[in-house]
């Protein structure tokens, strides 16, 4: 009876539950086990790191047809810095060579700017790590990063590099830093690049070490610090990195982060050259050339030129043109200059223009001179710009135009070319373009003087050119290129103020400059009064 009651009670409960819309689960089936999928490393927030603005290196003081002695910068196609004391030029990031192993690209070709490449829009297939070593994953990344063996696809390359980096591959870490430097497949961020380069360096990758040195030279993602740059370059060099060897030599050559030492610089350049670094070859050759060891210089220039170094080609042209270490041969010189020019060397373009202008080793041809100067100017060479200005001013190989002369002189002057500053000053002083003023000429004369330009013929033109006479006095007053001598300064100031051709505007400008000299302690109040007595 009790069992019957229990069954009936159970049936009642079930009926009530069904009436309320509830169902009893038939069985509690366990959820299938889901293997976690490897999510790609999330992209960190990109910090907008502005590129530092580099101050232009002033052009050397040269006569129009002079060819500068070159000092190479760590740029394969960069214009050389003139002797004797070149300004340090920040070193560019190398573009790595595709690597099929974890070994760093030891002979990477330097480039001058971190121009982001357009990421490929290809779909990103899943990355398979089955059975692949970290080195093999990095090699797969190279295929997609460089489009060699696979369609170019930065995002896919990043996937492979990330997988390899997560397994401790230093080269893959370096490549991730490179991707952030250039914005390839990720948002450009020098800060993130620094972090990856540091990981790569700590993992023993020499290109990571080298790239950290580059960042400290330029202040990319870090505070510019030549001492730290040298430290990282030295580590890369000690690890056998040829780019690092060259960079250490460059630091000693320019006295960046260490006292200048040409002997030590040459030792590092030669080490880099013997390790196959083309910039090391060129830099070692230049120091040998400047030391009069032309035969040894020639050998290194030829090796660098064989590898396509345009600066070395230009230097070979110079040796043949001057007959240094070889028999003077203008035809050979022109041949090498032309090769260098065709490879993008703007100094060679300008020199070829000078040869045609002066008829040195070739038949004089102003039209060809103009053509080559135009090429040099378009390539950013300030001597080419200045020389174009001179051709326009004189009507050589082109219709005479003082207005066009001013345009080209001013482009070169604003880029720091001191000869162009003086030429522009003269053009403005004499109002050759019909629009300039004498006071404009004074301003450009002063800019030329303050940049270290001094011309013996200031004295000769002082009688006719009040601005030139004034600059002569300014030099004596400040001790710039002349012994400081207030009496001599006053004599030249009086010549300037007594010049009947001086305009009111020019006289006013000169008086303002004299007052500036007084304010800076170069002249006494009595000397100022004596200087402007004729005004």
């Amino acid at each position: 009876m009790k069992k019957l009651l229990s069954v009936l009670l159970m049936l009642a409960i079930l009926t009530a539950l069904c009436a309320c819309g509830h169902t009893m689960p038939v069985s509690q089936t366990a959820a299938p086990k889901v293997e976690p999928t490897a999510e790609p490393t999330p992209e960190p927030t990109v910090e907008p790191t502005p590129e530092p603005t580099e101050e232009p290196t002033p052009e050397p003081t040269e006569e129009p047809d002079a060819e500068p002695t070159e000092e190479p910068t760590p740029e394969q196609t960069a214009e050389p810095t003139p002797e004797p004391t070149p300004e340090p030029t920040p070193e560019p990031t190398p573009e790595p060579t595709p690597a099929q192993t974890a070994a760093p690209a030891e002979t990477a070709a330097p480039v001058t700017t971190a121009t982001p490449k357009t990421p490929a829009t290809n779909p990103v297939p899943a990355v398979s790590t089955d059975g692949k070593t970290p080195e093999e994953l990095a090699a797969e990344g190279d295929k997609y990063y460089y489009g060699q063996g696979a369609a170019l696809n930065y995002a896919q390359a990043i996937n492979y590099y990330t997988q390899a980096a997560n397994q401790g591959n230093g080269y893959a870490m370096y490549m991730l830093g490179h991707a952030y430097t250039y914005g390839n497949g990720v948002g450009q961020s020098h800060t993130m690049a620094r972090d990856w380069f540091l990981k790569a360096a700590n993992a023993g990758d020499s290109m990571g070490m080298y790239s950290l040195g580059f960042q400290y030279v330029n202040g990319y993602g870090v505070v510019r610090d030549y001492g730290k740059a040298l430290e990282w370059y030295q580590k890369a060099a000690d690890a056998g990195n040829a780019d690092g060897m060259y960079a250490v030599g460059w630091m000693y050559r320019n006295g960046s982060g260490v006292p200048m030492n040409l002997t030590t610089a040459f030792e590092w350049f030669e080490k880099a050259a013997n390790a196959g670094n083309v910039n090391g070859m060129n830099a070692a050759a230049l120091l040998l050339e400047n030391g009069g060891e032309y035969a040894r210089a020639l050998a290194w220039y030829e090796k660098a030129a064989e590898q396509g170094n345009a600066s070395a080609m230009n230097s070979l042209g110079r040796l043949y043109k001057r007959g240094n270490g070889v028999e003077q041969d203008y035809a050979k010189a022109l041949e090498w200059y032309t090769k260098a020019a065709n490879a993008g060397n703007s100094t060679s373009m300008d020199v070829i223009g000078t040869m045609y202008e002066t008829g040195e080793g070739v038949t004089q041809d102003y039209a060809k001179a103009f053509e080559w100067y135009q090429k040099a100017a378009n390539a950013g060479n300030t001597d080419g710009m200045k020389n174009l200005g001179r051709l326009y001013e004189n009507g050589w190989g082109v219709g005479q135009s003082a207005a066009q002369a001013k345009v080209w002189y001013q482009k070169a002057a604003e880029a720091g070319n001191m000869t162009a500053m003086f030429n522009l000053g003269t053009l403005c002083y004499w109002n050759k373009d019909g629009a300039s003023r004498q006071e404009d000429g004074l301003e450009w004369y002063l800019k030329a003087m303050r940049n270290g330009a001094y011309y013996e013929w200031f004295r000769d033109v002082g009688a006719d050119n009040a601005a030139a006479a004034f600059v002569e006095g300014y030099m004596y007053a400040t001790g710039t290129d002349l012994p400081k001598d207030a009496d001599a300064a006053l004599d030249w100031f009086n010549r300037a103020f007594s010049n009947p051709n001086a305009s009111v505007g020019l006289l006013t400008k000169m008086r303002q400059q004299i007052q500036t000299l007084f304010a800076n302690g170069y002249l006494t109040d009595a000397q100022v009064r004596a200087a402007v007595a004729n005004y």
Side-chain angles (χ1 to χ4, degrees):
M1 186 67 176
K2 287 182 179 179
K3 289 183 179 180
L4 180 61
L5 289 173
S6 297
V7 172
L8 292 173
L9 180 59
M10 225 17 200
L11 288 171
I13 292 171
L14 288 172
T15 302
L17 287 171
C18 291
C20 294
H22 293 285
T23 58
M24 182 69 74
V26 177
S27 65
Q28 188 68 35
T29 306
K33 183 177 180 180
V34 179
E35 293 295 329
T37 56
E39 295 182 4
T41 304
E43 289 186 20
T45 303
V46 178
E47 300 177 13
T49 309
E51 298 283 343
T53 302
E54 296 176 11
E55 296 182 0
T57 304
E59 292 287 322
T61 304
E62 301 171 28
E63 291 304 313
D65 60 349
E67 181 185 352
T69 301
E70 303 171 19
E71 174 61 32
T73 63
E75 301 177 10
Q76 190 168 7
T77 59
E79 287 309 307
T81 308
E83 290 282 64
T85 53
E87 292 293 319
T89 305
E91 186 174 354
T93 303
E95 181 75 32
T97 309
Q100 301 305 317
T101 67
E106 295 295 339
T107 58
V111 296
T112 56
T113 55
T115 305
K117 300 174 183 176
T118 304
T121 57
N122 307 33
V124 183
V127 174
S128 173
T129 61
D130 294 341
K132 288 186 173 68
T133 66
E135 290 76 17
E136 290 171 334
L137 289 170
E140 286 295 313
D142 281 344
K143 289 181 182 178
Y144 288 101
Y145 199 82
Y146 295 101
Q148 296 179 0
L152 182 71
N153 190 322
Y154 291 130
Q156 179 70 312
I158 297 300
N159 279 347
Y160 275 111
Y161 288 143
T162 300
Q163 292 292 326
N166 288 342
Q167 295 182 45
N169 185 277
Y171 170 74
M173 298 172 189
Y174 159 69
M175 287 304 300
L176 288 171
H178 186 275
Y180 275 107
T181 298
Y182 287 82
N184 290 341
V186 292
Q188 187 179 40
S189 170
H190 291 301
T191 302
M192 289 302 302
R194 176 204 62 199
D195 293 344
W196 279 112
F197 288 147
L198 184 59
K199 289 179 181 180
N202 290 336
D205 185 87
S206 66
M207 282 305 296
M209 302 170 192
Y210 173 88
S211 297
L212 281 171
F214 151 77
Q215 287 198 305
Y216 276 108
V217 162
N218 289 281
Y220 291 165
V222 294
V223 176
R224 178 174 288 181
D225 188 325
Y226 289 124
K228 286 187 179 294
L230 179 60
E231 178 184 338
W232 282 110
Y233 283 148
Q234 186 73 60
K235 288 182 179 180
D238 292 342
N241 186 292
D243 288 328
M245 298 172 193
Y246 168 67
V248 172
W250 181 82
M251 299 290 278
Y252 276 102
R253 173 62 188 89
N254 292 284
S256 300
V258 67
M260 182 184 291
N261 187 320
L262 297 184
T263 300
T264 303
F266 177 77
E267 290 172 357
W268 281 107
F269 287 151
E270 194 169 43
K271 286 181 181 179
N274 287 326
N277 184 281
V278 67
N279 286 328
M281 298 173 192
N282 195 51
L286 180 60
L287 288 181
L288 289 169
E289 181 188 355
N290 289 340
E293 297 188 54
Y294 299 121
R296 291 176 67 191
L298 180 71
W300 279 120
Y301 281 142
E302 287 177 338
K303 288 183 179 180
E306 287 171 2
Q307 295 190 39
N309 187 281
S311 182
M313 296 174 192
N314 176 76
S315 296
L316 285 171
R318 182 174 62 249
L319 291 183
Y320 279 104
K321 181 169 176 278
R322 296 177 179 177
N324 290 338
V326 292
E327 185 176 349
Q328 189 176 41
D329 188 331
Y330 286 111
K332 275 274 190 183
L334 184 61
E335 178 185 339
W336 279 111
Y337 281 136
T338 303
K339 287 181 179 180
N342 291 337
N345 187 284
S346 67
T347 296
S348 288
M349 300 173 194
D350 178 68
V351 174
I352 294 172
T354 300
M355 291 177 72
Y356 278 111
E357 181 186 351
T358 61
E360 185 180 21
V362 296
T363 302
Q364 187 180 44
D365 189 328
Y366 286 129
K368 285 188 176 180
F370 180 87
E371 176 186 339
W372 281 104
Y373 287 150
Q374 183 80 65
K375 289 180 180 180
N378 290 341
N381 186 284
T382 63
D383 280 328
M385 299 173 192
K386 170 202 68 182
N387 292 332
L388 270 183
R390 188 177 65 257
L391 294 188
Y392 271 114
E393 183 176 0
N394 293 285
W396 296 338
V398 66
Q400 188 173 25
S401 172
Q404 279 297 307
K406 181 180 179 182
V407 167
W408 286 107
Y409 282 150
Q410 188 151 345
K411 284 184 179 181
E414 289 175 350
N417 188 294
M418 289 176 285
T419 305
M421 293 178 193
F422 189 89
N423 290 352
L424 182 57
T426 301
L427 188 143
C428 291
Y429 180 82
W430 294 110
N431 189 28
K432 291 185 178 181
D433 64 334
S436 298
R437 303 170 300 169
Q438 287 186 324
E439 50 265 40
D440 296 331
L442 173 62
E443 286 300 310
W444 282 110
Y445 283 143
L446 288 171
K447 286 180 182 179
M449 182 270 290
R450 288 166 180 157
N451 277 279
Y454 174 68
Y455 299 87
E456 292 292 339
W457 30 270
F458 265 176
R459 293 183 176 85
D460 299 329
V461 300
D464 299 318
N465 188 324
F470 178 84
V471 172
E472 186 81 9
Y474 198 103
M475 288 180 169
Y476 275 115
T478 59
T480 302
D481 290 337
L482 291 171
K484 189 174 180 180
D485 187 332
D487 291 335
L490 293 177
D491 177 57
W492 281 101
F493 288 152
N494 282 326
R495 294 190 196 189
F497 280 111
S498 60
N499 191 302
N501 296 321
S503 67
V504 174
L506 177 63
L507 294 171
T508 301
K509 281 283 186 182
M510 293 193 298
R511 182 170 185 172
Q512 291 172 347
Q513 290 291 337
I514 287 177
Q515 290 170 343
T516 300
L517 290 172
F518 168 70
N520 290 329
Y522 290 112
L523 297 175
T524 66
D525 182 64
Q527 289 169 334
V528 170
R529 292 178 185 278
V532 299
N534 293 323
Y535 174 67

